[in-house]
């Protein structure tokens, strides 16, 4: 077993680390200032466009796509350590490198299932970072962790589909650059197979009947960096039938295909967040004195730091193993491991961030350190892309089956 990264990964890591130090971290404060001066907090600050140009020039662009026609052609194992590095600045670095959710999953869907016209109209500008996109599945009225519950209707009328429904927590939709939605709804509510009732259609943002009603908050934050999480209404929105992605009834299968890579990308970035938390903990513990001793000399603080390091090393190994399995036996073969990391990583990283907040005292919950916002963001990943309990249920079912009596 070889634990070293290959030469290409090492070279890209070096380039990305330099990009983070020279461009991304210095831009964090600039972006905050610029956003405060914009007419709308949902707009992209100009410095982000500068970062995108700089990343592209350095070949740090579309790193997530395993297909060399559209992206960098990296395997999951090669991409994992790079996504981890971008996770250290989750507000800026994934967008700067055109590797931010939900665009990544949407680009994968279009590359895999889109028609040539759909790819030309939407995938091309997404790959170029000229537009953003959103994925609209979750609904306030039904338990959306079970996708068969989705109630939005996609009704065929002649050469058009008519979309009617209400969605919420649609990430990215508040940003005016978000030009298109991939909307999941029911085309055949009576199909015998509950997994063949749903379809996905492309809905351009400027189509009559699309209403971006409000920004949902995340623990009180509006999450400007990720384009917010909007409540969106579709009032009898008409789109041509050519906007269907794949086939009618294929929505459920596309949603499943979309989530495998998305989940591991989130986990990779979360590990980067945990690394940042450890760094901040160590710097703070070394520089702050309480009761006559630096915090770093308090036993409990050392325990927190040591436990965080042990946990991060464990998580990273599991994520890398999962990436390797996805590369070698495919997403299906890596199903158990994808679920395992989706359960373990957000939960543990939330704990690490919580300790880091504690160590920073009031500063930890303030806007002067990134910890509170990182905590809120990591905590949502125990819900988004499948709540912990749903993954636990399915993982346990497979384990039980292995030992079931014949
Ligand atoms: C910040 C954020 C961003 C998001 N972005 C998007 C987006 O871009 N697009 C989108 O479509 N959605 C998005 N979501 C929604 C997210 O995917 C859903 O919240 C998630 O799928 C859960 O659905 P629900 O909220 O309807 O919870 P429900 O389905 O109502 O579930 C509630 C709780 O019930 C429990 N539960 C459910 N099923 C089981 C089970 N089988 N066994 C045991 N317990 C169970 C779990 O504890 C679960 O948390 C986002 C959510 C957040 C918080």
């Amino acid at each position: 077993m070889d634990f070293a990264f290959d030469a290409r990964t090492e070279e890209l890591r070096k380039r990305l680390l330099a990009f983070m130090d020279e461009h991304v971290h210095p831009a964090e404060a600039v972006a905050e200032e610029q956003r405060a001066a914009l007419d709308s907090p949902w707009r992209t600050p100009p410095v982000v466009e500068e970062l995108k140009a700089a990343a592209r020039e350095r070949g740090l662009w579309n790193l997530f796509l395993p297909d060399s026609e559209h992206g960098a052609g990296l395997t999951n194992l090669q991409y994992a350590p790079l996504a981890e590095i971008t996770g250290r600045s989750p507000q800026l670095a994934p967008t700067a490198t055109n590797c931010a959710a939900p665009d990544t999953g949407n680009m994968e869907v279009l590359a895999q299932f889109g028609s040539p016209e759909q790819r030309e109209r939407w995938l091309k500008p997404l790959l170029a970072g000229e537009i953003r996109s959103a994925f609209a599945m979750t609904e306030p009225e039904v338990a959306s962790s079970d996708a068969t519950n989705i109630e939005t209707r996609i009704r065929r009328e002649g050469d058009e589909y008519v979309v009617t429904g209400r969605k919420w927590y649609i990430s990215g939709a508040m940003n005016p650059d978000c030009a298109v939605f991939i909307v999941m709804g029911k085309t055949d509510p009576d199909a015998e197979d509950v997994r063949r009732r749903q379809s996905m259609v492309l809905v351009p943002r400027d189509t009559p009947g699309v209403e971006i009603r409000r920004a949902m908050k995340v623990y009180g934050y509006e999450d400007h960096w990720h384009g917010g999480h909007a409540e969106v209404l579709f009032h009898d929105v008409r789109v041509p039938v050519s906007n269907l992605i794949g086939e009618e009834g294929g929505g459920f299968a596309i949603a499943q295909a979309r989530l495998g890579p998305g989940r591991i990308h989130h986990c990779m970035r979360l590990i980067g967040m945990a690394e940042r938390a450890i760094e901040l903990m160590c710097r703070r513990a070394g520089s702050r004195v309480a009761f006559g001793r630096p915090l770093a000399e308090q036993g409990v603080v050392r325990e927190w730091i040591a436990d965080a390091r042990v946990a991060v090393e464990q998580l990273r190994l599991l994520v890398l193993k999962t990436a390797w399995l996805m590369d070698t036996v495919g997403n299906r073969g890596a199903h158990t491991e994808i679920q395992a990391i989706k359960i373990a990583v957000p939960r543990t990283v939330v704990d690490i961030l919580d300790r880091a907040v504690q160590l920073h005292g009031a500063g930890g919950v303030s806007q002067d350190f990134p910890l509170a916002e990182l905590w809120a963001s990591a905590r949502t990943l125990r819900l988004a892309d499948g709540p912990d309990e749903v993954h636990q249920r399915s993982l346990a079912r497979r384990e039980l089956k292995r030992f079931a009596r014949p």
Side-chain angles (χ1 to χ4, degrees):
M1 205 175 289
D2 184 357
F3 287 96
F5 296 127
D6 64 19
R8 181 156 188 223
T9 310
E10 280 298 1
E11 197 277 317
L12 280 167
R13 278 189 76 240
K14 215 188 276 170
R15 227 188 297 166
L16 184 57
L17 284 167
F19 176 67
M20 296 290 289
D21 286 341
E22 290 161 23
H23 295 270
V24 176
H25 292 307
E28 286 170 2
V30 179
E32 286 283 3
E33 267 172 41
Q34 288 183 348
R35 183 181 299 287
L38 291 171
D39 59 343
S40 157
W42 303 110
R43 287 192 187 286
T44 309
V47 71
V48 175
E49 293 304 328
E50 290 166 27
L51 288 176
K52 281 161 72 176
R56 210 166 174 176
E57 212 173 89
R58 284 162 180 73
L60 299 169
W61 192 254
N62 291 338
L63 300 167
F64 69 100
L65 275 171
D67 164 356
S68 48
E69 186 198 333
H70 296 121
L74 301 177
T75 62
N76 286 294
L77 194 55
Q78 289 173 317
Y79 177 54
L82 306 176
E84 178 186 323
I85 293 169
T86 64
R88 295 175 61 87
S89 183
Q91 296 92 342
L92 293 183
T95 305
T97 51
N98 214 35
C99 291
D103 297 312
T104 44
N106 294 342
M107 286 189 257
E108 280 159 1
V109 164
L110 287 166
Q112 215 180 327
F113 303 98
S115 67
E117 297 75 41
Q118 290 169 353
R119 291 207 291 266
E120 181 64 25
R121 174 143 186 223
W122 302 114
L123 179 58
K124 232 173 159 181
L126 279 168
L127 287 168
E130 292 162 5
I131 60 167
R132 303 295 303 266
S133 61
F135 183 72
M137 185 170 95
T138 303
E139 299 177 1
E141 304 298 342
V142 293
S144 303
S145 52
D146 176 356
T148 63
N149 283 338
I150 297 307
E151 282 183 344
T152 290
R153 271 293 269 133
I154 304 178
R155 217 173 51 247
R156 183 160 181 165
E157 272 185 23
D159 288 341
E160 290 179 325
Y161 283 115
V162 184
V163 184
T164 312
R166 178 176 169 216
K167 305 282 187 182
W168 75 346
Y169 280 91
I170 307 310
S171 301
M174 297 303 297
N175 185 329
D177 296 339
C178 171
V180 66
F181 297 88
I182 294 180
V183 182
M184 172 110 152
K186 279 191 178 136
T187 33
D188 185 359
D190 303 319
E192 200 173 319
D193 180 352
V194 291
R195 295 174 169 224
R196 296 287 306 167
R197 292 178 181 172
Q198 305 80 6
S199 302
M200 285 193 196
V201 290
L202 287 155
V203 177
R205 181 194 191 89
D206 55 9
T207 316
V210 174
E211 180 193 350
I212 313 289
R213 177 162 281 183
R214 59 175 174 153
M216 304 308 301
K217 294 191 181 176
V218 171
Y219 289 102
Y221 290 106
E222 287 199 311
D223 202 0
H224 298 129
W225 297 111
H226 298 108
H229 308 282
E231 179 177 345
V232 184
L233 277 81
F234 298 91
H235 304 281
D236 295 337
V237 174
R238 290 178 176 271
V239 293
V241 286
S242 56
N243 281 25
L244 177 76
I245 302 177
E247 53 171 11
E248 258 190 38
F252 193 92
I254 298 175
Q256 294 299 107
R258 186 184 182 280
L259 285 174
R263 286 173 182 152
I264 192 167
H265 296 169
H266 277 312
C267 290
M268 294 163 181
R269 286 187 293 263
L270 279 164
I271 293 175
M273 288 188 209
E275 284 288 359
R276 185 142 190 207
I278 295 176
E279 180 183 332
L280 288 167
M281 276 203 269
C282 292
R283 291 189 191 283
R284 185 75 163 181
S287 65
R288 206 136 158 116
V289 176
F291 301 100
R293 280 193 299 174
L295 292 177
E297 286 178 24
Q298 312 290 346
V300 69
V301 169
R302 289 185 173 225
E303 233 173 76
W304 292 347
I305 290 169
D307 286 351
R309 170 54 56 211
V310 171
V312 164
E313 296 301 321
Q314 289 173 329
L315 294 178
R316 184 183 289 113
L317 283 176
L318 188 52
V319 168
L320 291 175
K321 180 193 169 193
T322 307
W324 171 77
L325 276 173
M326 288 168 78
D327 292 334
T328 50
V329 297
N331 297 357
R332 259 181 188 284
H335 196 173
T336 297
E337 284 75 10
I338 291 173
Q339 289 188 315
I341 58 170
K342 182 62 181 57
I343 296 163
V345 178
R347 194 155 70 182
T348 312
V349 173
V350 166
D351 280 351
I352 293 173
L353 285 163
D354 194 57
R355 296 266 162 81
V357 166
Q358 190 71 14
L359 182 62
H360 281 71
V365 297
S366 78
Q367 69 275 38
D368 287 355
F369 292 89
L371 292 165
E373 206 166 347
L374 288 179
W375 182 93
S377 165
R379 179 63 182 82
T380 65
L381 288 168
R382 293 192 55 197
L383 295 166
D385 284 0
D388 294 359
E389 296 76 15
V390 174
H391 294 298
Q392 285 169 316
R393 172 177 172 262
S394 146
L395 199 155
R397 197 169 44 199
R398 270 199 313 284
E399 286 297 302
L400 287 162
K401 220 166 161 185
R402 287 175 55 207
F403 301 103
R405 288 204 192 132

